[in-house]
Amino acid sequence: MAAGLFEGQYLWHPAADDRVLASVCVDVRAGRWLSARDALAETRGDVERRAHRSLVLASEAADSDLVERWQAEEPGPEAALMWARVAVLRALRAADARDPRTEALERIALAACERATAADPADPTPWVAKLAMARLHRLSDQAPRGLLTASAGPWRLFVHVLSFDPWHREAHHRFLACFFPRYGGSVTAAWDVAAFLGQRAPADSPLRLLPLVALVECYDPTQLLADRVWEQPQWRSTALSIHHHWLPTVAGYPFTPVLDLAYLAHALVMAGCEPQAHTVFTAMGPYASRMPWSVFGDPAEQLSRARRACGLPVPAA
């Protein structure tokens, strides 16, 4: 699906050009859940779209009682999935804010995930939601052979999710997050796990971007020449390879993968590959995500700076 031409403003909504999802978000904010049920029911059997839609809708519903009312009025697989997504999001927000209710919210979230898996045993999404909470604990499953640091982590839960879908995008990102320094991991572990996961993915998979995600997460502006890291041959070649193999597949996506495109565009600009970054920004159209730009400053300013480097228009001041 074409992202559309840039018309002078960035569109930050995570639904991007999934028009159905964008419309449902309006209903959810208004306290209506019927369209959310239908939009999720459409995605049965499409694990990537189901994961994306349920995650976006949870972000819209987490501050209201919508899922509680939905569960009471019409329990079913979609209601159970949304309850799991919302409960996990609330638990993660509480943990990040050091809220004393975190432990109780986490118990609720785990119970919600169990309920969702029982409602639809073939759906990996509740397991992915549970994996999102793994970063709250230092799980110590033994890593498989092939990792330089043999980083312990929630490997068994991750492998279980992969039994449903070996290339599940969100599952890989949730798992990698467990090794980020801000969640108690280390730079070495994050790079090692990202390289391991990225290299095992098909050449045209967005999972090849995982090392670039880890590079942003481990960015330390206090380090000497920190902004020159992307110019190193290994990172430039990684970005160029993804541009060559993955970017051509984006035209066939049901919605524009804005976040993945943003990581690729950022890496290419930082590596001095502006012509290739130009094509990535063109594929994004007007849609924007705050990551990875927010790591380096105001996201709108950083995005505009990158677009200017590629000779592309930016919003008027």
Side-chain angles (χ1 to χ4, degrees), residues 27-198:
D27 283 348
V28 168
R29 285 194 295 271
R32 299 185 293 266
W33 55 263
L34 286 174
S35 63
R37 179 201 61 192
D38 295 343
L40 289 177
E42 285 180 8
T43 66
R44 292 184 187 178
D46 185 343
V47 294
E48 293 295 345
R49 188 180 289 193
R50 191 168 180 83
H52 177 67
R53 282 187 174 179
S54 61
L55 184 61
V56 172
L57 291 174
S59 69
E60 299 287 355
D63 295 326
S64 72
D65 66 348
L66 180 136
V67 294
E68 288 87 347
R69 290 189 290 104
W70 183 356
Q71 281 272 61
E73 295 172 25
E74 190 182 293
E78 278 66 48
L81 175 59
M82 277 300 297
W83 173 227
R85 282 296 212 179
V86 165
V88 167
L89 183 55
R90 289 171 179 168
L92 292 175
R93 287 178 176 177
D96 292 342
R98 301 186 182 278
D99 190 312
R101 299 172 298 169
T102 297
E103 187 175 341
L105 289 171
E106 188 176 356
R107 287 197 299 269
I108 293 171
L110 288 172
C113 290
E114 294 295 337
R115 184 171 180 173
T117 58
D120 189 353
D123 183 8
T125 320
W127 291 100
V128 176
K130 186 183 291 188
L131 184 59
M133 289 193 295
R135 66 172 174 82
L136 303 181
H137 308 282
R138 301 312 302 163
L139 300 180
S140 55
D141 303 340
Q142 186 175 2
R145 295 180 180 179
L147 272 77
L148 297 175
T149 59
S151 306
W155 288 96
R156 281 181 289 186
L157 179 55
F158 179 54
V159 169
H160 183 71
V161 177
L162 300 191
S163 70
F164 293 91
D165 177 9
W167 312 119
H168 197 289
R169 182 196 174 280
E170 185 186 344
H172 281 75
H173 281 264
R174 295 294 192 183
F175 180 70
L176 177 59
C178 295
F179 302 92
F180 289 162
R182 59 180 166 137
Y183 297 137
S186 68
V187 170
T188 302
W191 282 351
D192 192 17
V193 172
F196 176 80
L197 297 178

Side-chain angles (χ1 to χ4, degrees), residues 8-9 304 308 314-317:
Q9 296 296 326
S304 292
R308 287 192 195 97
V314 301

